[in-house]
Amino acid sequence: MSATTPPGSITGKVHALGLTLPQPSGPGGNYVSTTRIGPLLFVAGQIDPAAALGRLGDTVSVEDGARAARAAALNIIAHVVKAAGDDLAAVRRVAKLTVFVASTPDFTQQPLVANGASDLLVAVFGDAGRHARSAVGVAALPRGASVEVEAIVELSV
């Protein structure tokens, strides 16, 4: 943690894991990246165009897919910081993740890929990062991404 990163900050926790928060991405169409209804923050599907492109069960390994899911979850965290401030206490709970995995019809390890996102959220938010989750295989994702992750997060602020 740097001298400018206060204790209890989300950014500090991310840095302690050896990662850097990206700038929150803008929408890729006629929608918004986040919507807040009361304490719930809905984060639109996030991809990392620098992560593995292609489909699991074809050109992308489970390990590369998990890294792509982790990168997408890092983008979700960036949106949480933008919406709620850089305070770990502002996140009451990561309520739900949906992880879309571009995969061949016979690929069945979507949950292993999704663990890349889930593990990061628990590492950053502790018990508040434990969530319900769906891991779904799909034929294709935007921009050729191998993984897309969307989230519902309960905030206290």
Side-chain angles (χ1 to χ4, degrees), residues 98-119:
T98 305
V99 181
F100 301 95
V101 181
S103 52
T104 60
D106 61 338
F107 183 81
T108 60
Q109 295 179 306
Q110 288 85 357
L112 295 177
V113 173
N115 283 342
S118 295
D119 292 348

Side-chain angles (χ1 to χ4, degrees), residues 31-139:
Y31 65 93
V32 293
S33 298
T34 61
T35 298
R36 184 154 180 192
I37 301 172
L40 297 180
L41 180 69
F42 295 81
V43 183
Q46 299 294 304
I47 63 171
D48 183 346
L53 301 178
R55 294 192 310 164
L56 280 287
D58 185 15
T59 59
V60 179
S61 69
V62 170
E63 295 78 16
D64 286 342
R67 280 190 283 278
R70 179 182 177 108
L74 199 58
N75 288 329
I76 287 169
I77 294 168
H79 282 287
V80 169
V81 168
K82 181 178 179 182
D86 194 13
D87 181 6
L88 281 168
V91 176
R92 295 180 102 171
R93 181 99 188 184
V94 177
K96 175 77 163 60
L97 284 188
T98 305
V99 181
F100 301 95
V101 181
S103 52
T104 60
D106 61 338
F107 183 81
T108 60
Q109 295 179 306
Q110 288 85 357
L112 295 177
V113 173
N115 283 342
S118 295
D119 292 348
L120 178 62
L121 293 170
V122 171
V124 172
F125 298 112
D127 282 340
R130 297 191 186 285
H131 50 270
R133 182 183 83 188
S134 299
V136 182
V138 298

